[in-house]
Amino acid sequence: ADAGRMPYPGEELWTLALYAIGVTAYAALQGHLTKRMRNLVRVFAKAQEGDFSAQYDEAADQMPDPVTIIGRAYNRMRAHLEAIVLTDPLSGCFNRRGLNQLAEREVSRAIRGKKHVAVLAIDVDHFKHINDEYGHLTGDEVIREVGALLRETAREVDVVARIGGEEFTILAPDSNDEGALILAERVMQAFRSHRFHSLPPERRITTSVGVAAAPARDDEVAKTLLARADEALYVAKRSGRDRAVVWHAGMRAFDA
């Protein structure tokens, strides 16, 4: 300024100040964009693992942009994707992946609340005879009706899943041995009285049920109960079917 090279130092300082403000605003905008992109990536990462509980927060975007468009598209597709990935298309129940995911959530909740968790392993008795007598198309219709009947019979909080063939599982939160056995009896009675529309009127279907329950003390309780319920189911089938058996310590169903 003394040399006359900066005749208007005030204007130059204003230019510098405006430039600094612009750089700061740009950095803040990029930081906000980066944060939103990270949130979007996190949502997609959870979806890749089969967890569709998270959704993109559209309300945080005051000025919609391409990131918002992608987030909105995901939110619209979320329920449809969850149904495709976690649901068995034939029975309408959860598949094994859906069961594992929901079991993890329910077990965590039971651990926090110091509750019991129960598992019912359900097998349609002599289902192979249905396929042999009436064909596999009729067998598929029966599986659809079985899935619907189990969902109607189970409580709203229960998780009903088809884990393969004619084998189903019910995860019953906050249920001990007595409560789980009551649910098992209700399931068996529902099958005894149900008229399957895809079968002749005189054809009735029964089920065998293995029951296991325990306090939720660690994350492995669901895996343990699934194995115990399967063992109790094997005892029920060996004992004549159309019955429920509760697992107990010392049960050795598979020794033979």
Side-chain angles (χ1 to χ4, degrees), residues 211-224:
V211 179
R217 296 193 176 96
D218 54 58
D219 294 336
E220 296 297 314
V221 66
K223 186 185 298 183
T224 300

Side-chain angles (χ1 to χ4, degrees), residues 234-249:
Y234 187 77
V235 172
K237 293 167 66 175
R238 250 187 0 183
S239 302
R241 304 176 190 267
D242 190 21
R243 66 193 64 207
V245 172
V246 180
W247 184 91
H248 59 80

